[in-house]
Amino acid sequence: MLGDMILRALRLTVRVSGVVQSPALHSCRALHSSAALWAGHNKWSKVKDIKIPKDAARARMIVKYTMMIRIAVREGGPNPEFNVALAQLLEQCRNKNLPKATVEGAIKGAKSKPGVQYVYEATGPGGCTLLIEILTDNNTRSHQEIKRILMKHGGALCEGARRNFDRKGVVAASRDGISSERALELAIEAGAEDVLEIEDEEERPILQFICDIASMKSVRSALESLGVHTLSSGLEFVSHTPSLLTQTQLDTASSLLEALNDCPDVVRVWDNIHTQT
């Protein structure tokens, strides 16, 4: 058992790399030896100075969570006791202080408002791959708009991008002064595969522990027993095949992701972008 823990520690600490994600550009470090991991939100390593005002960022965040709640309710019903995805989203909404009336309205209106969920596969600058989740009442319109945005920023719709991602469990926790070394130790002790150091939409330091879907609950329980203040847990697409981009390509990619997230029909965007060091 000790040998296994040492081996995992070596895998986790082999390197500290900068990784990227959308929608906004925030500071992040990945503490792992595997490919670049997408785990939730805002995973870019300050590759470009794009900052939208905090009130605009919060307004966009509320819209996106409203859309995710509508999707969760349609797939699993309005009762969070029987809908794990909805329960996870509601927990995230509480931690982000989303208005209660907005959340309740999203749940109640999920069935009545038209809209269908799609996930588009795409390539971007430098050959990076993207998964673009949308909720729309007119897929033809959304398809054309996503295609236009991609073409404008050196991207295109494609097939096969999903093969670069795995569905993983992600446990978010408060940083609370935890050092990078201690974060690695916690990941090992809790049974997580990787840990990311990020900033959330409000620039608060967050740790994200990556794990198999089946072990997400046990990883969260283990972290809490180790004194970690966990915030939420959920499922995300995690890239296992990183794309290394030059600074010029990163600048173009950041503009592309910003444009995609400004599209009203876009719920979330996942990418596999890595910075070259």
Side-chain angles (χ1 to χ4, degrees):
M1 181 175 179
L2 179 59
D4 291 340
M5 290 187 67
I6 293 174
L7 180 60
R8 293 192 61 214
L10 288 173
R11 292 206 312 267
L12 283 167
T13 57
V14 133
R15 64 187 175 95
V16 177
S17 57
V19 288
V20 294
Q21 99 181 43
S22 60
L25 308 184
H26 290 289
S27 173
C28 169
R29 289 203 305 163
L31 309 176
H32 58 82
S33 60
S34 58
L37 295 183
W38 149 232
H41 304 273
N42 312 318
K43 186 159 71 70
W44 272 26
S45 184
K46 293 184 177 178
V47 298
K48 190 174 180 184
D49 229 348
I50 293 181
K51 286 281 188 179
I52 59 177
K54 285 189 176 182
D55 55 347
R58 180 166 176 80
R60 187 167 71 177
M61 178 186 69
I62 291 173
V63 170
K64 302 303 183 185
Y65 269 98
T66 298
M67 297 169 76
M68 287 189 283
I69 288 171
R70 288 172 58 192
I71 292 171
V73 170
R74 291 181 181 197
E75 292 180 346
N79 189 340
E81 293 184 7
F82 304 106
N83 186 337
V84 175
L86 178 60
Q88 292 167 347
L89 281 171
L90 294 181
E91 182 181 36
Q92 293 172 26
C93 289
R94 287 192 295 270
N95 283 314
K96 296 180 182 298
N97 297 315
L98 265 67
K100 185 177 180 180
T102 299
V103 174
E104 292 177 348
I107 295 174
K108 293 177 181 178
K111 297 290 187 180
S112 59
K113 293 183 179 179
V116 180
Q117 178 194 15
Y118 297 93
V119 177
Y120 293 157
E121 300 172 82
T123 58
C128 66
T129 55
L130 310 171
L131 297 182
I132 308 166
E133 182 183 30
I134 70 164
L135 181 64
T136 180
D137 58 358
N138 186 329
N139 187 43
T140 300
R141 179 200 67 216
S142 298
H143 183 274
Q144 291 300 318
E145 177 62 10
I146 297 299
K147 184 178 179 180
R148 183 193 67 79
I149 293 173
L150 287 166
M151 291 181 64
K152 183 178 179 180
H153 296 88
L157 292 172
C158 71
E159 295 182 0
R162 195 186 293 252
R163 292 195 296 267
N164 294 319
F165 297 84
D166 293 321
R167 199 70 163 158
K168 290 287 186 179
V170 178
V171 180
S174 295
R175 183 69 186 267
D176 291 337
I178 298 173
S179 67
S180 299
E181 292 75 14
R182 181 54 182 157
L184 287 168
E185 293 173 356
L186 289 167
I188 294 168
E189 294 174 31
E193 298 175 358
D194 289 277
V195 58
L196 300 176
E197 299 176 341
I198 74 162
E199 290 179 348
D200 66 8
E201 294 87 352
E202 298 176 356
E203 299 184 12
R204 295 175 299 185
I206 300 292
L207 292 174
Q208 291 185 326
F209 295 88
I210 315 302
C211 59
D212 287 333
I213 295 175
S215 61
M216 183 169 61
K217 185 176 180 180
S218 63
V219 167
R220 182 170 187 175
S221 296
L223 288 169
E224 291 176 346
S225 68
L226 291 166
V228 178
H229 177 210
T230 62
L231 301 172
S232 63
S233 58
L235 304 182
E236 302 284 354
F237 283 110
V238 175
S239 167
H240 56 74
T241 308
S243 291
L244 298 177
L245 304 188
T246 65
Q247 185 60 50
T248 300
Q249 292 168 339
L250 286 169
D251 291 346
T252 305
S254 65
S255 297
L256 167 60
L257 293 171
E258 197 70 21
L260 285 171
N261 280 285
D262 279 339
C263 179
D265 293 338
V266 172
V267 181
R268 288 177 289 188
V269 183
W270 293 272
D271 67 72
N272 73 336
I273 303 171
H274 236 186
T275 57
Q276 290 188 354
T277 55

